Amino acid sequence: MLAHAEFDVPLDFQFVMWTSSSRRTLAHMTVGGAPASLDMDVTRHDVKRRNNALAGFRYEVVVRRDGQVAATGGASFTCMPPGACAGCAAAG
């Protein structure tokens, strides 16, 4: 979503994920009687471009619930135009 919304990556592009991590704080994952209010802080790193278009980046996320860290995570990926990754799913 971030790549599409902030970098105008077309919706038909695919993403090859290189790394992915997440941690949760179980005490802040309980389900209550009302919707929880969550805040997300996203930090981008190592933004790469190819021909003035986004080629990929790494990001980190901190999710807070009621001001307390509920989860953290991150990932790195490469953007692939349609047809460029024809064998990716089979190779995985």
Side-chain angles (χ1 to χ4, degrees):
M1 182 178 82
L2 183 63
H4 296 301
E6 297 298 322
F7 291 94
D8 297 320
V9 173
L11 294 175
D12 60 346
F13 273 45
Q14 296 178 324
F15 297 90
V16 177
M17 301 298 292
W18 297 106
T19 63
S20 179
S21 65
S22 66
R23 293 189 137 193
R24 292 151 307 282
T25 304
L26 293 179
H28 299 294
M29 293 289 149
T30 58
V31 176
S37 177
L38 302 176
D39 294 307
M40 294 177 64
D41 293 318
V42 180
T43 307
R44 299 181 314 259
H45 306 277
D46 306 322
V47 176
K48 295 180 177 83
R49 295 188 172 277
R50 184 182 317 112
N51 298 326
N52 293 326
L54 181 69
F57 61 81
R58 180 174 61 87
Y59 65 91
E60 296 173 353
V61 180
V62 177
V63 180
R64 289 184 178 80
R65 180 179 179 179
D66 299 324
Q68 301 295 314
V69 175
T72 60
S76 62
F77 65 90
T78 301
C79 301
M80 305 295 286
C85 195
C88 292

